[in-house]
Amino acid sequence: MEQLPNMRLTTQRQIILEELSKVTSHPTANEVYDMVRRRLPRIGLGTVYRNLELMADVGVILKLEVGGTQKRFDATVEPHYHVRCSSCGKVDDIDIAVQEQINQVAEKASNYKILGHHIEFSGICSDCMGKNQETDIN
Amino acid sequence: MEQLPNMRLTTQRQIILEELSKVTSHPTANEVYDMVRRRLPRIGLGTVYRNLELMADVGVILKLEVGGTQKRFDATVEPHYHVRCSSCGKVDDIDIAVQEQINQVAEKASNYKILGHHIEFSGICSDCMGKNQETDIN
DNA sequence: TAGGTATTGATAAACGTTATTAAACAGCAT
DNA sequence: ATGCTGTTTAATAACGTTTATCAATACCTA
């Protein structure tokens, strides 16, 4: 899983990281693929998956396993929380203080060795708010 | 998505709900399928998926979209938090107070209409703690 | 009992992700 | 430069989970 030695900084890896860093959204592997493909039309989807996974393992990027079916990736590795729009599925950062102390609370309340936590809010983004004013929401 | 009228309480639905209610784990659809199949050997996997989805829509059960590849289901619908073992993937409840006030904090810090939140802790369960004492952890 | 709707089981299809593989490539020592 | 060695790639196949399709069946109402 972790191999720092002999890990090359290839053009593909560089551009994947660059493109991911450009956006504040939290793109899926497929979305990253689309972004990267504009600059490297011959890149394979497998390469994108492989390297996103690799970078997440090494800790250069963050792999989010949030609601919805796809994994999402984030160039910001500092701990922070997320909101997911229940309507369109988009994920944004939420800039509120990280509750580090609840890890200890959770550890006391369980017999797990707690390593960390993540908070995912669910809501309706302003875009969908406008569109689906009176429409069904889910 | 939501159809309360003309929704029949079939044997299949009854047993799916019964079996899910029996366990405190948070089984995947496949695990529910296995449990139910012991009592209804001819039930189809599709039926299990369809009805778990349906019950979650109606609100009888909870669909958890936690880390890992599969969705998990929970007969306890009252809001509560979860821990996921990073080693074996199992999900348990964490019995700590639900932080309802952070929804408002989050709403102020974003332009989402916040509907709710979920906290997922990650850690190592006692089982894996024993086994992989000095082993790699992921 | 007959007619209409809801539901089922079986199967196929869709979707996201991971594994496989031959070819291309980078670095290094001759 | 040339060849050696290991890494990475693109393409493709395989995989696991979930959803859709559909004919057959079960249930409800009259």
Side-chain angles (χ1 to χ4, degrees):
Chain A
M1 281 289 167
E2 14 75 39
Q3 59 280 66
L4 298 182
N6 295 334
M7 173 158 159
R8 296 177 188 157
L9 181 51
T10 61
T11 313
Q12 287 87 340
R13 285 179 185 159
Q14 217 165 305
I15 294 190
I16 289 172
L17 188 53
E18 275 176 30
E19 290 300 314
L20 184 61
S21 302
K22 270 188 194 165
V23 297
T24 61
S25 65
H26 302 70
T28 63
N30 233 305
E31 288 166 350
V32 174
Y33 177 50
D34 285 340
M35 290 153 55
V36 170
R37 210 161 24 153
R38 293 202 286 268
R39 295 174 60 186
L40 284 179
R42 299 194 45 79
I43 198 172
L45 178 57
T47 304
V48 174
Y49 267 102
R50 192 180 338 109
N51 287 318
L52 286 173
E53 191 65 33
L54 206 60
M55 290 180 196
D57 279 345
V58 177
V60 184
I61 66 173
L62 218 65
K63 173 166 57 166
L64 310 181
E65 310 208 355
V66 296
T69 39
Q70 291 141 289
K71 286 170 190 144
R72 292 174 172 271
F73 296 87
D74 191 340
T76 308
V77 293
E78 289 80 45
H80 60 283
Y81 300 143
H82 295 102
V83 221
R84 207 174 83 85
C85 177
S86 307
S87 182
C88 68
K90 130 174 110 171
V91 175
D92 273 315
D93 291 334
I94 283 260
D95 186 23
I96 67 175
V98 172
Q99 317 279 109
E100 308 185 26
Q101 75 285 1
I102 66 171
N103 285 349
Q104 286 143 42
V105 179
E107 184 148 319
K108 277 191 196 115
S110 70
N111 37 19
Y112 278 64
K113 169 77 190 154
I114 300 292
L115 300 174
H117 74 271
H118 178 244
I119 305 187
E120 182 187 337
F121 293 90
S122 61
I124 310 292
C125 74
S126 47
D127 288 358
C128 292
M129 211 56 172
K131 286 174 200 155
N132 309 358
Q133 201 90 46
E134 299 300 300
T135 319
D136 76 337
I137 259 154
N138 211 1
Chain B
M1 279 289 169
E2 13 74 42
Q3 60 281 64
L4 296 181
N6 295 334
M7 175 157 158
R8 295 176 187 158
L9 182 51
T10 61
T11 314
Q12 287 85 341
R13 285 177 185 159
Q14 216 165 304
I15 295 191
I16 289 172
L17 188 53
E18 276 176 30
E19 290 299 315
L20 184 60
S21 302
K22 270 187 195 166
V23 296
T24 61
S25 66
H26 301 71
T28 63
N30 232 306
E31 288 166 350
V32 175
Y33 177 50
D34 285 340
M35 288 153 57
V36 170
R37 213 162 19 155
R38 292 202 285 268
R39 294 174 60 187
L40 284 179
R42 300 193 44 78
I43 198 173
L45 177 57
T47 303
V48 175
Y49 268 102
R50 194 179 333 111
N51 287 318
L52 286 173
E53 191 65 33
L54 206 60
M55 290 179 195
D57 280 345
V58 177
V60 185
I61 66 172
L62 217 64
K63 173 166 58 166
L64 310 181
E65 310 207 355
V66 296
T69 39
Q70 291 140 289
K71 287 171 189 139
R72 291 173 173 274
F73 296 87
D74 191 340
T76 307
V77 293
E78 290 80 44
H80 60 284
Y81 302 141
H82 296 101
V83 222
R84 208 174 83 84
C85 178
S86 307
S87 183
C88 68
K90 132 173 109 171
V91 175
D92 273 315
D93 291 334
I94 283 261
D95 185 23
I96 67 176
V98 173
Q99 318 277 108
E100 308 186 26
Q101 75 286 1
I102 67 170
N103 286 349
Q104 287 143 42
V105 179
E107 184 148 318
K108 278 192 195 112
S110 71
N111 37 18
Y112 278 64
K113 170 76 190 155
I114 300 292
L115 300 174
H117 74 270
H118 178 245
I119 305 187
E120 182 187 336
F121 293 90
S122 61
I124 309 294
C125 74
S126 48
D127 288 358
C128 293
M129 210 56 172
K131 285 174 198 155
N132 310 358
Q133 200 92 46
E134 300 298 301
T135 319
D136 76 337
I137 258 155
N138 210 2

